[in-house]
Amino acid sequence: MKLTLGYLIDLISVITEKELKVRYKSSFLGYLWSMANPLLFAMIYYFIFKLVMRVQIPNYTLFLITALFPWQWFTSAVGNSLFSYIANAQIIKKTTFPRSIIPFCNTFMEFLHFLCTIPVIVVFLYIYGMSPSWSWLWGIPLIGMAQMILIFGLSLMLSSLNLFFRDLERFVPLILMLMFYCTPILYSADLIPKEYHWLITGNPMSVIILAWRDLFMHGVLRTTDLLTMYAIAIPVLLLGTFIFNKLKFRFAEIL
C-alpha cells in the first residue's frame, strides 16, 4: 500500500469524524459538554479554595480554567487511548492502514475540543479586565505541538501495551489523578516548598500547564519552557513509537 500525504489526511479526517459522531451520537449539546466538565470543576474548586480556604491568588477563576482546559485535553486523550485499538478491533482486523493513525486521531480530536475552549478563556479575560495577547498567534501552535507530541507518544505506548496488560485500564486513571494534584492547577507553583519541587519537575505536564497559564494570562512564552517541553515530549514519542513498532504485528492476533 502506497502511503501519500493526501491519503493520510483523508484517513485522519474519516477516523476523527467517526469518533466525534460516536461520542456525540444523540447528544443535543454536542461538543459543549467538553467545556461543561472543566467549568463545573472550576466552580467547585473556586468555592473550596477561594471562598472557603481563601487562597490568595488573583483572578482565581481564570487561573483555574487556563490550566483545567489543557489538562482536560491531556487526561481525556491519555485515558481514552487505552481503548483506542480495542474499540476499533473490527477495522484493524478487516482493513490495512497505519495502525498509529488511531491513537493519533484520538489525540487530535481532544485537541479540537481544546481549541473550542479558547473562546471561553477569552470571555473570562475580558471579565477580569484583561485581553488576549498577540503572542497567542505563535504561542498556541508551539505549546500545542509540544503537548500533541507528548500525548501522542503516551497514547501509542498505552494503547499498545493495554492489549497485552489489561491492568493498565485500572492503573493509568490512578496515575492521572496523582499527576493532577502534583501539577500546579489548583495552586501556584510558588506555594510549593523547595524540598518538594521535585514533584513538579518530575511531572512532564507541569511545565506545559504553567506555559499555557503564562501565555493566556500574561501573554508570556519563555524559550526555556519551550525547550524543556520539547526535550520531554520528543523522547516520549520515540519511546512510544518503539513500543508500538515492537507490538503492532500481534494486534490482530490479540484482538
Side-chain angles (χ1 to χ4, degrees):
M1 179 180 61
K2 184 178 179 180
L3 295 179
T4 64
L5 180 60
Y7 171 79
L8 290 175
I9 292 175
D10 289 342
L11 187 59
I12 291 170
S13 299
V14 169
I15 295 178
T16 303
E17 183 179 359
K18 178 188 77 71
E19 294 294 334
L20 286 170
K21 287 180 178 178
V22 169
R23 174 172 296 193
Y24 297 122
K25 184 179 180 181
S26 302
S27 175
F28 178 72
L29 294 178
Y31 81 90
L32 292 177
W33 287 114
S34 65
M35 292 185 285
N37 185 59
L39 282 174
L40 176 61
F41 276 104
M43 292 171 58
I44 294 171
Y45 295 139
Y46 179 86
F47 175 78
I48 294 173
F49 290 97
K50 189 69 174 179
L51 300 182
V52 177
M53 300 181 65
R54 300 183 182 278
V55 173
Q56 299 303 311
I57 296 178
N59 307 325
Y60 192 59
T61 303
L62 183 61
F63 179 89
L64 284 174
I65 65 172
T66 52
L68 283 172
F69 285 153
W71 175 261
Q72 179 182 263
W73 170 20
F74 172 75
T75 189
S76 296
V78 172
N80 293 336
S81 71
L82 291 165
F83 310 98
S84 292
Y85 293 125
I86 297 170
N88 292 278
Q90 294 303 317
I91 300 176
I92 292 173
K93 290 178 180 179
K94 297 179 180 179
T95 312
T96 301
F97 64 95
R99 306 299 191 232
S100 57
I101 290 293
I102 293 179
F104 177 82
C105 288
N106 176 63
T107 303
F108 183 65
M109 179 178 65
E110 296 300 339
F111 170 65
L112 295 179
H113 286 144
F114 169 69
L115 290 181
C116 291
T117 65
I118 293 178
V120 179
I121 294 175
V122 173
V123 170
F124 275 91
L125 278 172
Y126 283 112
I127 289 174
Y128 283 102
M130 304 161 71
S131 61
S133 168
W134 287 108
S135 59
W136 289 25
L137 293 177
W138 57 86
I140 291 175
L142 288 173
I143 302 176
M145 181 61 70
Q147 184 164 339
M148 177 79 76
I149 292 171
L150 175 67
I151 294 174
F152 181 42
L154 289 172
S155 296
L156 274 177
M157 188 188 313
L158 295 174
S159 59
S160 302
L161 290 173
N162 191 50
L163 293 176
F164 302 88
F165 308 102
R166 299 300 291 271
D167 286 344
L168 284 175
E169 294 176 11
R170 294 167 176 80
F171 181 69
V172 170
L174 296 177
I175 295 299
L176 290 174
M177 182 174 63
L178 179 62
M179 285 181 65
F180 174 78
Y181 290 105
C182 291
T183 305
I185 297 174
L186 306 178
Y187 51 86
S188 171
D190 298 334
L191 299 177
I192 304 173
K194 289 185 178 180
E195 59 268 28
Y196 295 109
H197 275 196
W198 60 270
L199 290 172
I200 303 300
T201 56
N203 178 355
M205 276 302 292
S206 290
V207 64
I208 295 179
I209 291 297
L210 292 174
W212 281 121
R213 180 176 284 151
D214 284 340
L215 178 68
F216 286 135
M217 294 188 67
H218 310 296
V220 174
L221 180 60
R222 299 179 181 85
T223 303
T224 53
D225 290 342
L226 276 177
L227 293 175
T228 302
M229 282 185 276
Y230 283 96
I232 295 172
I234 292 174
V236 170
L237 177 60
L238 293 176
L239 177 60
T241 302
F242 173 79
I243 293 173
F244 166 78
N245 286 331
K246 285 290 185 181
L247 301 176
K248 66 181 179 180
F249 302 105
R250 296 184 58 195
F251 283 5
E253 171 192 338
I254 297 297
L255 291 170

